[in-house]
Amino acid sequence: MKRGAISEEYLGTYADVLAEVSDTGRLLHRPELDSFRDLGERAAEEGHSMRQLVGLYLAETRRIWGTLPGVARVAGASERGRMGDAVLGAVEAAVSAVGEGHERAQRMAVRQEEAARREFVDDLLHGRSNLGKLAERAQRFGLHLADRHAVAVVEGVEKYEDANPVVRRIERELFGRFEERDVLLTTKDGRLVCVVGSSNAAVLEAFAELAERPGPRYRAARRVAIGREHVGASGVVRSYEEAVGALDLAEHLVLEQVRLSAAELLVFPVLLRDRAAIADLVRTVLGPLTQARGGAEPLLGTVLECSAAGYVNAAAARRLGVSVRTLSYRLERIKSLTGYDPSNSLHRYTLETAAMGARLLGWPDTEL
């Protein structure tokens, strides 16, 4: 027999227990409580809600109340009150035990789901699984890997974990505006990662904006890097690696901007493909700067800050925290030591390329 959408089998020995409690006034025994916990756990595993279970138990209490031996036997109001208190205490204990079992099953299901999600994310972002099987698993998490996807990666002032308040806020705001279809938000190696299908380009923009400005009391991202769109599961890996690579480049180059596009930084991976050539360029062009008093670092920084300021001396001097006169002296020193004149467009390009190569290779702190 069914009561609504949930079977009476989840009541177990509930009616018999209440009958005995009404007769004796005893408390529920541990084996009985364990039995109710098991019933609650099984009900959760089979998809029944706690609301359904509570409704089932309360309806059964109401149905059998008049037939309980203690109800039929007691006469005085005082005795009736003691009996009612004992039975209601048993109802509370039984329902509480059922609830514990239900919550236990839900916690286990959540842990299993999180483990499966984490395994999928690791396999997806590192391309460690069979592409066909990966595509099948992706559907469970709302991704269609046959389409084009782009990946954004956020680096914070502190590591992002799944329970981080900023992560929860971004997730809540993002999915409050957009459907979750073909969007995956997760954490990886202390960074926040968003995989988005090409049809949801607005989601990527909203994600970047939320990371940059998560709102009062939340810490903003240090940097947001966005990889290019690519097709398929391998395309997700490629876009992710581009975004992570952009973050690493920004760290080496000490870039100021918060949002980075991997497409705009493609020149740097090209430079690094031939490390021997870029190292030779750095040694040849910038090597003489080591002869300067104070070493090469101040003059190397001058080249990069002048470039960032568009070679407007007043702006470059402010960025460097020196006077315009000091800046002019440094530029002359760079010219005299290297033979390259920053005021010459071709020489300037060579100096800038060598300076960026130096940052990428860690020179002058690292020997080339």
Side-chain angles (χ1 to χ4, degrees), residues 110-124:
V110 167
R111 283 197 293 269
Q112 291 173 342
E113 180 70 13
E114 288 176 347
R117 178 186 172 90
R118 178 56 55 195
E119 182 181 8
F120 167 72
V121 167
D122 289 343
D123 289 346
L124 174 66

Side-chain angles (χ1 to χ4, degrees), residues 49-59 95 98:
S49 68
M50 189 59 205
R51 179 178 178 180
Q52 288 177 297
L53 279 171
V54 171
L56 175 66
Y57 275 72
L58 294 183
V95 171
V98 168

Side-chain angles (χ1 to χ4, degrees), residues 5-7 9-11 35-50 52-54 56-57 98-99 101-103 105-106:
I6 186 169
S7 171
E9 66 180 287
Y10 298 110
L11 290 168
S35 175
F36 288 124
R37 290 188 185 97
D38 292 341
L39 288 168
E41 186 171 354
R42 184 155 58 87
E45 290 171 350
E46 295 179 11
H48 297 293
S49 68
M50 189 59 205
Q52 288 177 297
L53 279 171
V54 171
L56 175 66
Y57 275 72
V98 168
H102 194 276
E103 290 177 0
Q106 287 186 318

Side-chain angles (χ1 to χ4, degrees), residues 80-147:
R80 189 180 301 113
R82 285 194 298 272
M83 184 279 301
D85 186 62
V87 173
L88 291 177
V91 172
E92 180 183 7
V95 171
S96 178
V98 168
E100 288 177 18
H102 194 276
E103 290 177 0
R104 183 171 61 194
Q106 287 186 318
R107 285 195 299 271
M108 181 61 70
V110 167
R111 283 197 293 269
Q112 291 173 342
E113 180 70 13
E114 288 176 347
R117 178 186 172 90
R118 178 56 55 195
E119 182 181 8
F120 167 72
V121 167
D122 289 343
D123 289 346
L124 174 66
L125 298 182
H126 291 294
R128 291 194 299 234
S129 181
N130 175 277
L131 294 183
K133 292 182 178 179
L134 195 62
E136 291 178 7
R137 292 163 62 197
Q139 293 181 7
R140 174 181 174 185
F141 300 100
L143 289 181
H144 302 278
L145 292 184
D147 300 334

Side-chain angles (χ1 to χ4, degrees), residues 33-274:
L33 293 173
D34 289 340
S35 175
F36 288 124
R37 290 188 185 97
D38 292 341
L39 288 168
E41 186 171 354
R42 184 155 58 87
E45 290 171 350
E46 295 179 11
H48 297 293
S49 68
M50 189 59 205
R51 179 178 178 180
Q52 288 177 297
L53 279 171
V54 171
L56 175 66
Y57 275 72
L58 294 183
E60 180 68 2
T61 303
R62 181 179 181 183
R63 186 185 70 82
I64 66 175
W65 186 271
T67 66
L68 295 176
V71 172
R73 188 188 69 246
V74 298
S78 177
E79 190 176 353
R80 189 180 301 113
R82 285 194 298 272
M83 184 279 301
D85 186 62
V87 173
L88 291 177
V91 172
E92 180 183 7
V95 171
S96 178
V98 168
E100 288 177 18
H102 194 276
E103 290 177 0
R104 183 171 61 194
Q106 287 186 318
R107 285 195 299 271
M108 181 61 70
V110 167
R111 283 197 293 269
Q112 291 173 342
E113 180 70 13
E114 288 176 347
R117 178 186 172 90
R118 178 56 55 195
E119 182 181 8
F120 167 72
V121 167
D122 289 343
D123 289 346
L124 174 66
L125 298 182
H126 291 294
R128 291 194 299 234
S129 181
N130 175 277
L131 294 183
K133 292 182 178 179
L134 195 62
E136 291 178 7
R137 292 163 62 197
Q139 293 181 7
R140 174 181 174 185
F141 300 100
L143 289 181
H144 302 278
L145 292 184
D147 300 334
R148 300 178 68 85
H149 289 83
V151 181
V153 181
V154 177
E155 192 170 67
V157 292
E158 57 188 23
K159 288 188 175 182
Y160 289 112
E161 304 294 344
D162 289 338
N164 187 295
V166 177
V167 175
R168 293 303 182 203
R169 175 170 175 77
I170 292 175
E171 182 178 45
R172 184 172 61 252
E173 291 290 328
L174 195 66
F175 294 136
R177 299 185 209 172
F178 306 94
E179 293 184 5
E180 297 184 32
R181 185 177 179 82
D182 219 18
V183 178
L184 176 68
L185 189 66
T186 186
T187 57
K188 178 68 178 169
D189 298 331
R191 291 164 168 159
L192 183 58
V193 179
C194 187
V195 182
V196 179
S198 59
S199 61
N200 291 330
V203 177
L204 207 60
E205 177 66 22
F207 170 74
E209 289 180 356
L210 285 168
E212 292 168 359
R213 293 179 292 277
R217 302 185 303 278
Y218 295 97
R219 305 189 75 176
R222 286 184 65 238
R223 290 194 178 97
V224 181
I226 302 174
R228 295 178 296 165
E229 283 188 0
H230 298 287
V231 178
S234 60
V236 173
V237 177
R238 186 176 176 187
S239 186
Y240 170 71
E241 290 177 344
E242 287 177 351
V244 171
L247 291 174
D248 292 341
L249 283 171
E251 191 69 27
H252 280 97
L253 296 173
V254 199
L255 299 180
E256 293 182 352
Q257 60 262 46
V258 174
R259 192 180 306 190
L260 307 163
S261 170
E264 296 174 356
L265 298 174
L266 286 176
V267 64
F268 298 107
V270 171
L271 288 174
L272 287 174
R273 282 175 192 160
D274 192 341

